[in-house]
């Protein structure tokens, strides 16, 4: 592919210790066929030098507006970009961007860009939570920028908390989805709070055994990623997954169906949309053995009595803690897929139900999916076999239509 045919990405890097992680983001962008121009701040070069950025990107690196003046870089770089991503974005960079300052090449680029802009913040917790930063982030989001929520984890020194740069692979996924949507409305979930459940619950039998299912959580995580890319504030209730946290989502880990119910209902109190993509166990053992259940020679094990778990989807659909809230369910079926799906849609009372056929070698753990999205209005929207992000975008398209119609 000729360089002129590649999507053009500007990677802005500001002066924080997490600057070294931007090298991994740069590698992912270039290896996936993007033409990347790195625009670091002067402070960023104190952490990672110019030769590193130039070698990894294959493009020249400049930081000031007085370099290569004949090419007018302070205007041209932003004008020609298909996407601008700033990672890490320090509190200072967020403040300068929010106030429209233009004292270096990066801030000039941000002012001239007419493409999607993503900020991946990284700073200490106190700086992220300061009212000034909160207002700056709100300003940038109101103007259409995607400001990813920072991750929770180890910071510099001995500090731990919210402010860690999200995983570079997850930042890349946000960028990829924004570029993939092209001319489609990029921020149609801006200002919305969405709750997504993902994974599979586990119901303990004893300290070492549980009843579970094959759900990997990939579809729920795809829903969370695409919602972030479309501007939403995302709460992801994750049950027993081994996937990295999606950049920009507030992740609430849970184990059992009862724990999932509690977390989802709490998050749903101020949510515009709730998507129940998790595989929630219908039953749990009636009795939990405090010690490991032993195998006894010559004796068959006692039957395991089961009791019903709460029906979270039906409860949400009936309660609707927020007026106009849209509720989406998922149905994994092994036979009579559409008939069973229609019956479940009526029984649960949700607005949309995503129905797919599952089995040992289908859907669970796979990178791709196919399904039919059933609507309470009688509509059926088939989604052909493809990446789970495509199904996620179809769901959000229908959700946005319902929100705007309401």
């Amino acid at each position: 592919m000729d360089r002129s045919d590649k999507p053009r990405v500007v990677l802005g890097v500001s002066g924080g210790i997490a600057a070294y992680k931007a090298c991994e983001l740069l590698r992912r962008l270039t290896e996936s066929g993007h033409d990347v121009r790195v625009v670091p701040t002067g402070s960023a070069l104190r952490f990672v030098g110019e030769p590193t950025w130039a070698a990894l990107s294959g493009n020249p690196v400049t930081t000031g507006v007085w370099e290569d003046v004949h090419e007018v870089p302070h205007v041209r770089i932003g004008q020609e970009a298909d996407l601008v991503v700033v990672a890490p974005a320090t509190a200072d960079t967020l403040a300068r961007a929010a106030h429209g300052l233009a004292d270096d090449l990066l801030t000039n680029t941000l002012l001239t860009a007419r493409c999607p802009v993503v900020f991946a913040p990284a700073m200490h917790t106190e700086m992220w939570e300061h009212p000034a930063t909160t207002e700056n982030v709100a300003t940038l989001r109101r103007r259409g920028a995607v400001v990813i929520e920072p991750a929770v984890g180890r910071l510099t020194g001995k500090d731990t908390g919210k402010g860690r740069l999200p995983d570079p692979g997850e930042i890349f996924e946000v960028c990829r989805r924004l570029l993939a949507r092209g001319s489609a409305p990029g921020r149609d979930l801006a200002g919305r709070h969405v709750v997504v459940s993902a994974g599979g619950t586990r119901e303990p039998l004893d300290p070492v055994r549980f009843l579970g299912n094959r759900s990997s959580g990939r579809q729920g995580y795809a829903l969370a990623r695409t919602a972030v890319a479309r501007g939403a504030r995302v709460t992801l209730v994750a049950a027993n997954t081994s996937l990295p946290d999606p950049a920009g989502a507030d992740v609430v880990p849970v184990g059992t169906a009862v724990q999932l119910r509690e977390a989802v209902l709490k998050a749903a109190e101020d949510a515009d949309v709730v998507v129940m993509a998790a595989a929630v166990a219908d039953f749990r053992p009636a009795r939990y053995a405090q010690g490991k259940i032993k195998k006894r020679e010559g004796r068959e094990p006692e039957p395991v009595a089961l009791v019903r778990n709460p029906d979270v989807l039906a409860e949400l659909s009936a309660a609707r803690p927020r007026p106009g809230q849209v509720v989406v369910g998922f149905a994994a079926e092994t036979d009579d897929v559409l008939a069973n799906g229609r019956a479940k849609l009526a029984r649960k009372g949700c607005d949309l139900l995503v129905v797919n056929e599952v089995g040992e070698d289908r859907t669970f753990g796979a990178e791709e999916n196919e399904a039919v999205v059933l609507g309470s209005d009688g509509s059926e929207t088939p989604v052909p076999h493809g990446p789970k992000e495509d199904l996620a975008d179809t769901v959000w398209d229908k959700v946005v239509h319902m929100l705007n119609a309401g």
Side-chain angles (χ1 to χ4, degrees), residues 332-393:
E333 301 290 345
T334 57
D335 54 68
D336 295 330
V337 175
L338 289 182
N340 287 334
R342 276 286 169 204
K344 185 171 185 177
L345 176 64
R347 189 169 64 252
K348 302 293 185 178
C350 51
D351 301 293
L352 298 171
L353 188 73
V354 183
V355 186
N356 54 12
E357 187 174 354
V358 297
E360 187 169 343
D361 299 317
R362 303 188 62 171
T363 301
F364 287 129
E367 298 287 347
E368 298 181 327
N369 200 354
E370 62 179 303
V372 178
V373 183
L374 303 178
S376 57
D377 58 358
S379 62
E380 293 185 7
T381 307
V383 182
H385 188 78
K388 289 185 172 179
E389 286 85 358
D390 290 352
L391 173 57
D393 269 325

Side-chain angles (χ1 to χ4, degrees), residues 171-206:
I171 300 174
F172 169 73
E173 289 297 327
V174 172
C175 296
R176 186 175 68 84
R177 293 311 300 171
L178 282 171
L179 286 166
R181 285 181 61 76
S183 60
R187 301 252 325 147
D188 51 7
L189 285 172
R192 303 289 190 177
H193 176 207
V194 305
V195 178
V196 179
S197 69
T201 59
R202 296 177 179 179
E203 311 302 322
L205 284 163
D206 63 22

Side-chain angles (χ1 to χ4, degrees), residues 11 145-146 159 199 251 257 294 303 305 325 346 354 382 387:
L11 173 58
V146 175
D159 293 340
V251 180
K294 299 291 188 179
Q325 187 177 80
V354 183

Side-chain angles (χ1 to χ4, degrees), residues 189-382:
L189 285 172
R192 303 289 190 177
H193 176 207
V194 305
V195 178
V196 179
S197 69
T201 59
R202 296 177 179 179
E203 311 302 322
L205 284 163
D206 63 22
V208 297
R209 300 182 181 92
F210 60 84
L211 299 178
N213 56 66
R214 297 178 183 272
S215 178
S216 66
R218 292 184 185 278
Q219 185 62 70
Y221 276 56
L223 283 155
R225 287 193 195 96
T226 51
V228 169
R230 294 172 74 149
R233 176 168 68 91
V234 180
T235 300
L236 176 64
V237 179
N240 305 297
T241 69
S242 59
L243 304 171
D245 291 351
D250 284 323
V251 180
V252 181
V254 296
T256 67
V258 171
Q259 292 170 349
L260 182 140
R261 172 187 177 273
E262 180 180 349
V264 168
L265 291 181
K266 180 178 180 181
E269 291 175 358
D270 69 342
D272 299 284
V273 188
V274 182
V275 181
M276 290 292 296
V280 183
D282 294 320
F283 309 99
R284 67 181 184 273
R287 186 180 71 86
Y288 173 75
Q290 296 296 326
K292 179 182 176 182
I293 301 173
K294 299 291 188 179
K295 178 175 66 176
R296 302 184 185 279
E297 292 297 331
R299 295 175 56 183
E300 292 296 321
E302 294 183 6
V304 176
L306 301 176
V307 296
R308 286 185 178 273
N309 271 323
D311 190 330
V312 186
L313 178 58
E315 186 175 355
L316 276 168
S317 299
R320 307 280 175 152
R322 183 169 181 169
Q325 187 177 80
V326 176
V327 178
V328 182
F330 271 68
E333 301 290 345
T334 57
D335 54 68
D336 295 330
V337 175
L338 289 182
N340 287 334
R342 276 286 169 204
K344 185 171 185 177
L345 176 64
R347 189 169 64 252
K348 302 293 185 178
C350 51
D351 301 293
L352 298 171
L353 188 73
V354 183
V355 186
N356 54 12
E357 187 174 354
V358 297
E360 187 169 343
D361 299 317
R362 303 188 62 171
T363 301
F364 287 129
E367 298 287 347
E368 298 181 327
N369 200 354
E370 62 179 303
V372 178
V373 183
L374 303 178
S376 57
D377 58 358
S379 62
E380 293 185 7
T381 307

